[in-house]
Amino acid sequence: MKNMSYTEAVELQKSGKTILFVDVRTPEENALEHMADSINMPLDNFDAKTYGEKFAHYDTIVTYCNTGNVSSQFTKRAHAHGITNVVNMIG
């Protein structure tokens, strides 16, 4: 599993790569606060087919949560299903 800092993700985006920031927390947590231009795709609702189809349109998917635990689990699950353009944001 690959980890990436927010700064690295922004630099990658500036280089012309298509990046999607994904908040993997619950909808309730997302409603309290979230990154601008991110989407909410909770770990509890993980669907490899649906997520794989959506993620195929991006160079890199950057997952995040409050502590990195849930986003790490999401990233591992995605990789286990062959969705390899997903990275875990740290820091």
Side-chain angles (χ1 to χ4, degrees):
M1 177 183 70
K2 183 175 181 187
N3 293 314
M4 180 179 288
S5 71
Y6 175 76
T7 302
E8 290 170 319
V10 169
E11 288 301 316
L12 192 61
Q13 194 172 36
K14 286 179 183 177
S15 77
K17 299 292 183 181
T18 55
I19 306 290
L20 177 64
F21 289 97
V22 178
D23 181 348
V24 299
R25 302 172 301 160
T26 66
E28 295 79 18
E29 291 172 306
N30 176 266
L32 293 174
E33 65 177 349
H34 58 272
M35 292 174 52
D37 299 324
S38 68
I39 63 169
N40 183 229
M41 298 179 98
L43 173 64
D44 291 343
N45 298 341
F46 186 90
D47 178 303
K49 184 177 186 307
T50 302
Y51 286 12
E53 290 171 358
K54 176 137 183 100
F55 294 169
H57 302 287
Y58 296 89
D59 293 316
T60 305
I61 308 303
V62 181
T63 63
Y64 73 92
C65 64
N66 287 335
T67 64
N69 182 42
V70 176
S71 57
S72 175
Q73 290 177 49
F74 186 102
T75 301
K76 288 177 184 174
R77 191 174 297 181
H79 285 216
H81 285 88
I83 308 168
T84 59
N85 61 336
V86 180
V87 300
N88 178 47
M89 187 163 66
I90 56 172

